[in-house]
Amino acid sequence: MTAPAPSELAFIRFVSVENMMKLIHRTGIEEMMTGLVDYIEEDFRRWELFDKTPRVASHSAEGVIELMPTSDGEVYGFKYVNGHPRNTRAGLQTVTAFGLLARVDTGYPVLLSEMTMLTALRTAATSAMVARHLAPKDAGTMALIGNGAQSEFQAMAMRAVCGVERLRLYDIDRAATEKVLRNLGGLGFDVTACATPEEAIEGAQIITTCTADKQYATILTDNMVGSGVHINAIGGDCPGKTELHPDILKRSDVFVEFPPQTRIEGEIQQMPEDFAVTEMWQVLSGKAPGRTSERQITLFDGVGFAIEDFSALRYVRDRLEDSGLYQNLDIIADPDDPRDLFGMLQRAAGQ
Ligand SMILES: NC(=O)c1ccc[n+]([C@@H]2O[C@H](COP(=O)([O-])OP(=O)(O)OC[C@H]3O[C@@H](n4cnc5c(N)ncnc54)[C@H](O)[C@@H]3O)[C@@H](O)[C@H]2O)c1
């Protein structure tokens, strides 16, 4: 008896890190950022039809491992992601991820993808999508505080979507800033390395904080932040892990992804339960205003929500046909008689 070859249905498309990097290079990173923004915006506009739940987090002293599920009724998706701020000291990344899409009608998976690269792209694309609606007009300068893995992606997305050309960098570890200077050298930015966060935010209309520390940190204090800026705070994304002094939140109009998750994980965990926030999907659907005055401080308390990953996986799925940038993985056991799983196993004996 010979085991049958896997059926068509057994296979799902798998995008490896190698193929994801090829897809990014073939598309062009800024073009991919704008493409991702389009997909994320499209999904934010149909926000109400998605299944939404705060992500499922498993915390430890060292970090967190999270599952981020959602569905639009036709397609289901989830991401596995970790956040371990001390990992870099051991030569490991703070954030790694992979994700999956499945058909809702049959429950069969259709795509498995690396998402460490894709998370950096989708996080930056989300920040830029939000900044396009909230940042002051003609914002050309961004302070980038925290110069780790996410930072160059933030810069590329803010240029592609908002026209940011000038960057002011700060990190407590000078080696991280040197890395960004090296990586962005020759890409056409005007980059200044700064010795303090105060210096970094001088003249910046957009302030991005993407630091990693598993504690209540105060990257920005109230007296540092002038009027008329947009703060893109993405590093505070866990209980007990924040970046801004609460007084800044009191002076700002705060915009969030999904309030039940952000109240647990975002900067607003420092505020009372009824602290007023605006949901970004409402701004994108024209149901709530974005920036309303030049002097207003807008603050995106970004923690990363499952729908952004779903949009990013949809984007990748739609680019795979005829690309050759995937492998077929034999991941679903698919017996000829769907009730004869045991028979399929028996026929494979001795193979
Ligand atoms: N909101 C989201 O959707 C989202 C997505 C991905 C990552 N993140 C978060 O963004 C943060 C950055 O991620 P990463 O992958 O770039 O991490 P990373 O570890 O690669 O980089 C973090 C950098 O922050 C610096 N830093 C720490 N404390 C600082 C301080 N007080 N002042 C200035 N710099 C400081 C570190 O030296 C390091 O260079 C993490 O907290 C991560 O959890 C959020």
Side-chain angles (χ1 to χ4, degrees):
M1 245 188 321
T2 57
S7 82
E8 280 284 295
L9 288 175
F11 292 118
I12 79 165
R13 290 179 176 184
F14 167 63
V15 181
S16 63
V17 176
E18 186 186 354
N19 278 328
M20 182 64 74
M21 293 196 293
K22 282 186 184 158
L23 177 66
I24 298 168
H25 283 302
R26 259 189 220 175
T27 312
I29 183 159
E30 292 188 59
E31 171 119 19
M32 187 149 165
M33 290 292 188
T34 54
L36 285 167
V37 167
D38 290 344
Y39 270 64
I40 298 169
E41 262 199 39
E42 193 183 318
D43 287 340
F44 269 56
R45 290 211 178 91
R46 54 190 194 116
W47 189 263
E48 284 159 297
L49 65 80
F50 279 91
D51 265 357
K52 292 176 287 294
T53 173
R55 58 186 154 199
V56 183
S58 173
H59 292 280
S60 63
E62 293 79 21
V64 63
I65 296 176
E66 297 164 324
L67 290 178
M68 303 173 68
T70 191
S71 164
D72 69 357
E74 282 183 22
V75 179
Y76 171 92
F78 79 84
K79 177 168 87 171
Y80 166 101
V81 63
N82 76 302
H84 286 66
R86 287 195 285 270
N87 264 7
T88 51
R89 289 178 215 166
L92 303 171
Q93 296 178 98
T94 299
V95 176
T96 67
F98 69 90
L100 178 140
L101 290 182
R103 294 171 60 130
V104 167
D105 58 354
T106 61
Y108 273 40
V110 293
L111 177 74
L112 176 68
S113 178
E114 90 77 38
M115 286 193 80
T116 306
M117 282 284 167
L118 195 56
T119 292
L121 267 86
R122 81 79 158 116
T123 302
T126 303
S127 288
M129 173 190 81
V130 170
R132 181 157 76 184
H133 292 272
L134 300 183
K137 274 203 181 53
D138 305 322
T141 304
M142 174 165 77
L144 198 43
I145 301 178
N147 300 153
Q150 309 300 318
S151 56
E152 295 94 335
F153 294 91
Q154 288 283 327
M156 299 302 286
M158 287 293 185
R159 178 164 73 184
V161 178
C162 304
V164 166
E165 300 281 354
R166 287 174 300 282
L167 301 171
R168 299 180 65 79
L169 310 178
Y170 173 71
D171 195 293
I172 39 168
D173 181 356
R174 179 70 194 194
T177 305
E178 296 292 340
K179 174 219 60 166
V180 176
L181 285 171
R182 244 186 347 265
N183 287 344
L184 295 185
L187 292 183
F189 288 99
D190 172 351
V191 192
T192 309
C194 301
T196 62
E198 286 84 351
E199 190 189 333
I201 66 177
E202 254 173 49
Q205 297 86 27
I206 300 177
I207 301 170
T208 290
T209 54
C210 52
T211 65
D213 205 342
K214 201 167 175 17
Q215 63 167 1
Y216 293 108
T218 309
I219 309 300
L220 298 179
T221 54
D222 190 33
N223 60 346
M224 289 164 69
V225 179
S227 61
V229 296
H230 173 64
I231 303 172
N232 172 41
I234 63 151
D237 60 356
C238 258
K241 176 165 170 264
T242 57
E243 295 181 302
L244 308 179
H245 191 282
D247 286 350
I248 299 176
L249 306 183
K250 292 181 196 152
R251 282 170 60 214
S252 309
D253 286 303
V254 178
F255 296 80
V256 302
E257 293 141 314
F258 182 54
Q261 181 176 312
T262 314
R263 289 195 193 279
I264 299 168
E265 301 179 351
E267 297 300 324
I268 57 170
Q269 65 183 276
Q270 308 177 76
M271 309 308 278
E273 262 303 300
D274 59 353
F275 181 74
V277 295
T278 304
E279 296 181 50
M280 257 335 277
W281 73 269
Q282 295 193 316
V283 176
L284 287 157
S285 321
K287 293 181 198 295
R291 173 168 289 273
T292 50
S293 88
E294 274 178 32
R295 297 189 57 74
Q296 183 184 17
I297 302 172
T298 51
L299 164 54
F300 176 47
D301 187 1
V303 293
F305 188 58
I307 293 176
E308 294 146 26
D309 299 305
F310 180 93
S311 315
L313 287 169
R314 258 192 339 105
Y315 174 92
V316 170
R317 178 201 65 191
D318 292 354
R319 273 167 189 72
L320 287 188
E321 210 58 59
D322 302 325
S323 70
L325 295 179
Y326 64 88
Q327 291 146 270
N328 279 320
L329 279 194
D330 174 16
I331 206 169
I332 299 296
D334 181 47
D336 293 341
D337 172 351
R339 287 175 300 186
D340 196 16
L341 190 62
F342 194 77
M344 179 177 166
L345 172 66
Q346 283 181 319
R347 287 190 291 281
Q351 289 296 303

